[in-house]
Structures are given as C-alpha cells and as structure tokens.
C-alpha cells in the first residue's frame, strides 16, 4: 500500500464515521392501528418527499443542507422515491451510496426514512406510465431483498413502501386483481423479513395508490404493516371527507395508514396536472382529517421543478403549497 | 434555426402531407359473423401478405410502387407481418415510420391493413421456431398498447392480429392450454381497447394458427373480434373441405373468420417447405370454400424470395401461385 | 476457398473425428427403482463432479488428461455443473464446444455424463445465492431444449439434472410450493422428450436439493426419471441414517435416486463452509448407505480450489476426502 492510498483510506474512514455518527433512533413498530416508538408512545409522521436522490445528486442538491432545510420546515420524516430506471442507470453500487448518505443525513436531523420503490403502473403486465417507472417482478423482489439486507437493522429506515402507485389506468395497463396484487405484496413482505428487514412494509391499493376498499374483506396477510393512500385533491369531489373514509380512511380503524403523497398547486403552476390541482381548502381538509385520526402524511415534493413543487428557487423560497405546509408542519409539537 | 434546416423542415411537412393525404375510408366492424362497412354492407377481404416492412425497406422495395402493384393484383387489403426481432433491431421509432408509410400507401390505394405481430411459438414459455420470432408477454402487451395508441382511430388499420402462429410444435415448445392462451388474448384485447384501438382483434388457435376447435366450447370472451386460420395445403389431406369445416370453418357460423395466410408452391420451388407444397387444386378448393362462406383470405407472400413467393423478379412477374391468385383476385367485383 | 482455409478445414475434420471416435456405450434406462443397461443389468454410478467446464477451460485444465485422471480414480461417470452465468458469458456456441469435448473424453474412458444446470435458488422469483446462478424460466427451458436436440441421442449423456439446488433459503428467496416446482420440472421434462432427449431427467427437491419428502404424496408425473439429493454431512446430525431414509432415502423404494453431490472437508480446509464440514465417519456412513440401497453418488468436486476440493495441486495429489473417495471408488468391481 503506497502513501497516497493510505491517506485516501484514512480520509474515507474519517468521512464515513462523520457521516454515520448519529444518536440511536427508536425502532418504530406497529401496535394495533398506530405506529409506536420503543416507549410505546404513538407517533404520527408529517414528512416531505424528496425528489429522486439520483436527480438531486445530478442537480447538485443532494447534501446535508437539503436535509437541514427539510428539518427546518418541520418534517419528522422523509420519503425517498427510488425510480427503477434511475436505480439501473446509476447502478446499484452508486445508488446505494446515495441512500447511505441520505439515511445518515436524515438520522442526523432526527428524521425517519421511507424507502419507496417509485413505479407507477401494472407490475403484473409490466406496463407503466413512463419508461422511468419500468421494472419487473424479479427486479422488485431483488430490490427489496437488498434493502432488507442493507438497511433492515437501521432504525432510521422506518418504512419500506413496496410499490408507489399500482394502477390499471382504466385498463390501459390491462388487468390485475386485488388477489394477485395482494399475493405479490405478501411475497415481498416475506422476502423483506427473511432478509432481516425490521422496518414496516407499506402497501398501496389500485387507482394510483388511492383505493383501499378491498382491505375491508381481504387484507394483506401479514402482521406489522401499514397501508398507503395518495388522496390528491382531484381524486374525489368535495365534500371529500365521507368519500375519503369510504375509500381509505376506514382502514385506520384497524391498521396504520400513511398518506405518502399529498399536495396541491394552482392550475397555472408549472407542471400542474390531474389530480393535484387544488388550494388551501384541500390543505385544511386533508390535514384536519389526518390529525383527527392520527394518520401520517408526506407532502409531494421538496423540489424546485417537480410538481407540485414545494419551493421555487435555490434559496428554498416556498411555493404556495410550500408556505401552507411549512406553517402547518411547524405547528405540531413533536 | 438556420436556412438549411428550414428548407428541410418545409420539405418534411410537405412530404408528410402528401403521403398522408387520403380519402377517409370506412371503419370496418363486426356484425354477427360478418365484417361490415359503415353502410352495413358485408365486406369480404381478399388480400396479400407483404413481407416484413423492415425487410422490404432493407431490400429497397418499400415504396408506393409496391402498394400500387399489390392493388393492381386485385387486393383489397394487405397484412404487415411485424417480426419481433425486426421491431427491436430497427427500433420502435424507425419501425413506426415504416408502418406510418405503409398505412398511408395502403389507404391511397383503398386497401385495408392488418397489423400482424409475427411470432411463431409458445409465448408462455418463450420458446420459438427461430430467434426472429422471439418475444415476451410484456413486450407483446406493450406492442399492442402502442399500436392502439397510434393507429386506433385510423380506419385503414382494420385489424390487429394479436399473435401470428401459436404452436407447441408437438411439445417441442412445451405446453400451453387453450384456457391460458384465451386469457392472454383477452388481456391483449382489453389493452387494445382501453388504449383507443377501434379496429378488430384477430385471434389464432394452436397448430401454427390452424386449429380453432376449442372455440366451439370456449370462445374468446370479447365482442367484435374475428378468428384466424392458416390452412396451407399440407395441414390436412384431401378431400379438405369436411376437415376444414371441422377444424375452423364451422366457426364462421358464429364469428367472422380470416385466413390471414394461404398459399402454395411446387416442391421444387425455392424455399418450398411443409406445409405449403400444393397446386391449383388447392387454390380452387380454398377459394371456393371461402367464397361460399364469405371468409376473407390473404395470400402469403408478396415477395420475391420468401416462400411461397408470389413474384419472381424485380418486375413483379408472377410465380405459379402468383398467376393463380392474381387472376382469382381480379375476378371479384368489389 | 484458398489453400490455408482448406488446410484448416481438413484439420478440423480430422480433429473432430479423433475426438468423437468412441465405442458405442449402452443407453441407460430406468427400470422400476433402478438404472439398467441395455442387457437389463442394474447399474450403480460412483462418479465425480468436475468443476464448471468454463472454469476448467480458463484454468487450462480442460483436456483429455483431466478425464483420464478421473477415470483412474475409479469414477464411472462425471457430472458437468453448467453455471448459467458461465453459459451466457462464454456464449452458447463456445460453451457447446466444451460440452462436445467433455462428452467425447468421458466416452473415451467409458464414463457416463450428467449435464447439470447449476443454479441455486428460487427459479420462480429469480432470486439466487449469487449472480453466477442467475437464470430465468425461459432460459432454463431453452437450455434443456438445446441439450435435448444436441445430445438427446448420445448414449454417453445418461442424465439431465434439471436444476441443481432449488431452495427458498429460509424464505430469503421468497416462496415456491412443491406443486409449483413439480409443474416446472414436468414442463422441462416434456420439452426435453419432445426435442429428442432420450436420457434420464433428474429432479431435485427443496432445501438445496436435500428434501424429497413431498415425493411421497405427490411425485413428479413422468416415467423414466430419477430423484436427486445432496446429503452433505451437516444437513442432519448423527445418527444420519434414519433421517436420510425419512428425508430422501425412502424414495429409492420406488424410484432411482442419485446423490449428485456428496463430500466433506475439515473446517480448516480452504473454502470450508456449511454444510460440507465432516470426515471419514461421514464418508463411511454415506457410502455404506448408498451401497446397501443401490444409490448412485457423485463426489463434489474434482478441482484444486473449489470446496470441498478433491486434489490439492497440479499433480492431482488427493486431498483428505480425495484419498478417502479414491480408495473407495477403486474398491468397486464394475
Ligand atoms: Mg387502477
Ligand atoms: Mg404520484
Ligand atoms: Mg406461416
Ligand atoms: Mg428450501
Ligand atoms: Mg452444492
């Protein structure tokens, strides 16, 4: 070993120790229909979605400051949307480095992490909304096996969101039954747990992760999991509350529920699209609904360009929804 | 934008308009066991198979003259056999340009089009007769999704032939049940229609698209489709007619039937192979059979080399079957 | 054709004839629970595992001398573990040349061959112990189709071992039921036979090809096959015999059984790992057990480095298990 290599190695070790230094954070568990910490205290998360770590890295934004800012906005957790195409393009080894960093930065600011396999479409038929969401069932299994092996004992990584938004898109992606989807999720949960994943699997329903009605008669056969919905403003017409209860809110009576994506923007905002157009009326409705039922939620998305964006420039100046949710999140007493 | 680019763009627009100019052609629909036009008149197609557009392009034959010639032979429709390997090798974008052109040329000469996913084998096991036929179930779904999106409203594209020749090849390709094959076809039909495909799906049976006997007790569960058979001379021994009726002809009593491949050649002809060896006796038998029952048919293949070829040189001089079918097709009063 | 090409072609033909010259060897068949030769005489195999032919070629060991040595150790058969990754990396054409050679050399020394698709894991989920074992179901079908086409009539190739070690690895690779595994094996057997494979398919059970208990109530539905177990020393605790009988030995009452991998080494031996650590006590137990029941066995592995190795240097000096099994194999009167 020559001297230069030695210097680099010492620096590497030093860097790693610095980055990974952290207070041990409680393992979050499921108890009945709630998440609890190691003292048994109920924990409700109000968090932010980062954009894809790969995208943030390319933008030069992926760094401790980004996480510090998120923490300053009042978030107690972050969700990392790992796009399958980005995962393959950057390569497993390089992408894992990003996740290692992000998890460490989140931990430093006492925030929990959801790792989200960010695909949209019908995994059974391999039909997706866009190439960036393309994956296969074996790739999905392998991804979760690796996540469990690598982060399964890391208490910061509280959640594994198995598949972002399952949808048949009015059958443009063909068909898949709840029974088929349930079996896929149960298989992933088996794989996660057998490989040491001690975090909480989160399972979404159809209609772009909106509809959880089949859980009523045919829930996922696994303990210690949570369910996901993405109730954007336009998924239903006002008054929203009775429909939300019918579609996904009722699940909270028996299981934990996490809204891993909520958010709104003007129809004139850059990138505005169905179903995210809305305003503070929606903000009040969804946060009140969640607060009343101890439902955790995550705002989409802490990015300058992805829509609905939360900030509008390199100084993290809040967008309209950014202002709303920053104030809201900071109002909670954690 | 510099001047040269402008010139090229203007030329491109001009070229596109020229190519795509066409009289609106009737949407063909299924009514009972017949195809009908928008006036409700029964339509029976006598058409030709082109060789693969990719192959014709490489040969320098893909052009308006080729379609003009086909029209001169009396064809009222053409079938484009899209080989999965050619589809991938040329690339989706480039291949679509060929289809755009071919559809426009067909329309100019008032001919309808069958788009044919030209694979041969067992899609369930991904075992095929040759690498050129290799595909996967997700690729097949994605192909038809794209065809429906791009050509679904184009009335020239009357038919979607979902899979050319399903076969277990005496189990050399393993097994697949009719129920499994039926479900695959129903899924593709769902995808085609959800993505705007207003044409008519055509479904083939086993034994290299010969055998439709399972339709009797277990037809495809979808409205507005047709069935396919490829009754080449050697599929059965003479007298053919009672066997044809038993194997696939009986289907015409309830559903439209299209023989998307028929043809014959001498055993000494270039490329002669089982099951295509035959003569005008076969020609008379199959065309009489079809004419009596209003069954549409397409001759394989309008190419100089692929067998059984329809012409033998660059001047489109008819081969033996070419002479036979040219005369026959021109004898119909359309 | 120029002269140099002619010389090369003549040499190629000469070489091929030399390599392929061989006495016709009996086709081995299944009769009841035994393997028999063409005279109906019961044959029990005691053979060696080569390492992967691709690896031996790279090491410069793949040659007639290697087979001569194996024969000198008393083996009457060899098993070729074809790793899917090596198969793809070397390329089908080049890998087939290795198999052609190995089969010819085996034949020259009157040894039979097992072709073994050497994967470890859950083929249904495409989760494996290591990348070298990665394959897919269609690739597996295609491999066996090709083996049947190429070697199906070659009497030297007595056995087709369809999949080396199926395992869920305590569900690290997810789940697969015996019914699912059985169906996959039956499909491969159908493909092998339809493509002319006249050899004997060998089927393994779960727990890394150890557990054959489901055969009791739900055997593979195919005639003329054998079952496989890999009862390494640590799969069970002593006394082994009653457990072996319960787990796989009982199968021999109705079907042929082949232990395609047995072997042992010290815990200090290079590469020693669970479950192969053991000593001559195990050697005596397993060979006595097999001899009493006419169960064929193959020692893993005739390589200098792969563990448990059978020799330790380039002069084929036996390792500890090498000494044991060389003496044992030479003690049989064939
Ligand atoms: Mg849906
Ligand atoms: Mg979304
Ligand atoms: Mg054909
Ligand atoms: Mg197992
Ligand atoms: Mg082994």
């Amino acid at each position: 070993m020559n001297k230069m290599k030695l210097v680099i190695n010492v620096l590497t070790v030093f860097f790693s120790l610095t980055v990974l230094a952290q207070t041990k954070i409680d393992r979050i568990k499921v108890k009945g229909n709630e998440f609890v910490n190691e003292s048994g205290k109920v924990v409700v998360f109000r968090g932010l979605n980062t954009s894809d770590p790969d995208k943030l890295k390319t933008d030069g934004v992926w760094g401790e400051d980004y996480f510090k800012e998120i923490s300053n906005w009042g978030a107690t957790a972050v969700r990392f949307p790992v796009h399958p195409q980005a995962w393959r393009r950057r390569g497993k080894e390089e992408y894992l480095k990003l996740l290692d960093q992000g998890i460490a930065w989140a931990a430093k600011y006492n925030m929990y992490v959801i790792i989200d396999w960010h695909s949209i479409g019908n995994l059974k038929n391999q039909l997706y909304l866009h190439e960036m969401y393309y994956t296969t069932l074996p790739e999905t299994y392998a991804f979760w096996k690796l996540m469990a092996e690598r982060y399964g004992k890391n208490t910061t990584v509280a959640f594994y969101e198995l598949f972002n938004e399952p949808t048949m898109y009015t059958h443009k992606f063909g068909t898949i039954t709840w029974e088929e989807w349930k079996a896929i999720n149960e298989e992933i949960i088996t794989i996660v747990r057998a490989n040491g994943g001690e975090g909480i699997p989160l399972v979404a329903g159809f209609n772009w992760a909106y509809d959880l009605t089949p859980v009523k008669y045919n829930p996922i056969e696994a303990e210690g999991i949570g369910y996901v919905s993405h109730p954007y403003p336009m998924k239903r017409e006002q008054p929203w509350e009775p429909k939300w209860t019918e579609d996904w809110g009722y699940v909270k009576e028996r299981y934990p529920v996490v809204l891993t994506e909520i958010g709104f923007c003007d129809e004139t905002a850059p990138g505005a699209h169905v179903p995210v157009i809305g305003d503070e009326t929606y903000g009040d409705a969804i946060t009140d609904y969640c607060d009343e039922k101890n439902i955790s939620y995550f705002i989409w998305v802490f990015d300058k360009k992805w829509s609905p964006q939360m900030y509008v420039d390199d100084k993290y100046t809040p967008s309209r929804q950014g202002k709303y949710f920053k104030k809201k999140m900071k109002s909670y007493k954690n």
Side-chain angles (χ1 to χ4, degrees), chain A:
Chain A
M1 186 181 279
N2 65 36
K3 273 188 200 171
M4 186 50 85
K5 274 193 183 161
L6 184 63
V7 169
I8 291 170
N9 281 327
V10 168
L11 284 174
T12 306
V13 169
F14 179 75
F15 174 77
S16 303
L17 290 175
T18 306
V19 167
L20 297 173
Q22 58 175 88
T23 313
K24 174 71 167 55
I25 199 170
D26 270 15
R27 167 61 69 196
I28 299 298
K29 297 203 168 164
V30 169
K31 186 174 176 188
N33 67 340
E34 302 287 3
F35 300 124
V36 297
N37 67 14
E38 290 176 12
S39 318
K41 180 170 167 268
V42 170
V43 186
V44 183
F45 299 92
R46 288 92 188 197
L48 295 188
N49 276 276
T50 69
S51 39
D52 191 304
D54 170 77
K55 189 263 190 192
L56 290 165
K57 178 71 179 176
T58 301
D59 288 354
V61 177
W62 189 246
E64 185 179 328
D65 283 354
Y66 181 76
F67 285 82
K68 188 177 176 185
E69 185 70 22
I70 288 173
S71 177
N72 284 344
W73 286 45
T76 57
V78 286
R79 178 182 185 243
F80 296 156
V82 180
H83 290 65
Q85 189 185 47
W87 172 253
R88 288 186 300 271
R89 191 179 47 209
R90 185 168 288 269
K92 190 163 67 176
E93 297 308 320
E94 291 305 310
Y95 205 111
L96 287 172
K97 289 180 192 168
L98 299 184
L99 291 179
D100 287 351
Q101 292 175 323
I103 292 162
W105 287 321
K108 184 165 180 184
Y109 292 95
N110 293 307
M111 297 188 291
Y112 285 92
V113 166
I114 298 177
I115 295 175
D116 155 41
W117 185 235
H118 201 79
S119 180
I120 301 180
N122 186 345
L123 182 55
K124 181 184 120 186
N125 287 350
Q126 290 176 210
L127 291 176
Y128 302 97
L129 190 63
H130 183 281
E131 284 183 17
M132 76 179 107
Y133 304 116
Y134 181 85
T135 185
T136 65
L137 196 48
E139 184 185 57
T140 299
Y141 290 149
F143 175 80
W144 286 116
K145 179 171 184 288
L146 183 55
M147 291 301 107
E149 288 166 353
R150 191 170 183 106
Y151 304 119
K153 304 285 180 283
N154 186 322
T155 51
T156 295
V157 184
F159 301 105
Y160 317 123
E161 192 170 345
L162 306 184
F163 188 96
N164 171 49
E165 295 191 350
T167 179
M168 297 176 245
Y169 197 0
T170 59
H171 294 147
K172 286 184 183 179
F173 304 152
T175 68
I176 177 169
T177 66
W178 173 255
E179 286 66 33
E180 289 169 326
W181 183 238
K182 177 176 177 284
I184 288 172
N185 280 276
E186 288 167 357
E187 189 73 10
I188 301 174
I189 293 167
T190 296
I191 291 167
V192 162
R193 294 213 164 127
N195 288 284
E198 298 181 358
I200 299 169
L202 299 179
V203 176
F206 296 139
N207 190 4
W208 316 76
Y210 176 75
D211 176 13
L212 290 174
T213 54
V215 174
K216 191 174 297 182
Y217 60 87
N218 200 3
I220 300 292
E221 293 170 59
E223 298 297 312
I225 69 161
Y227 289 93
V228 164
S229 186
H230 291 179
Y232 281 108
M234 299 166 81
K235 297 303 287 187
R236 285 290 217 156
E237 303 213 333
Q238 298 190 48
W240 289 297
E241 293 78 0
K243 295 155 194 166
W244 287 344
T245 296
E246 187 175 23
D247 295 339
W248 52 267
Y250 81 91
V251 173
K252 184 59 171 62
E253 293 164 24
R254 294 177 53 198
Y255 305 100
V257 169
V258 187
L259 310 184
T260 56
E261 290 186 21
I262 62 170
F264 65 84
C265 67
D266 295 342
E267 59 188 341
T268 60
H273 61 280
V274 174
V276 303
I277 297 160
D279 59 23
E280 292 74 9
T281 314
Y282 165 78
D284 287 344
I286 193 70
T287 56
D288 286 351
Y289 189 89
C290 287
D291 290 349
E292 190 193 327
K293 294 181 187 290
N294 275 359
I295 289 175
S296 298
Y297 63 79
F298 288 70
I299 319 305
W300 183 269
V301 51
F302 203 65
D303 193 90
K304 192 172 70 173
K305 290 194 178 160
W306 285 13
S307 172
Q309 81 240 72
M310 294 200 72
Y311 61 85
V312 299
D313 57 24
D314 293 339
K315 288 182 286 181
Y316 297 114
T317 304
S319 65
R320 182 167 166 181
Q321 79 157 342
K323 278 182 213 121
Y324 179 85
F325 285 114
K326 184 174 185 177
K327 183 177 170 194
K328 178 68 188 173
M329 286 197 297
K330 291 175 81 73
S331 73
Y332 293 104
K333 289 163 194 155
N334 289 301

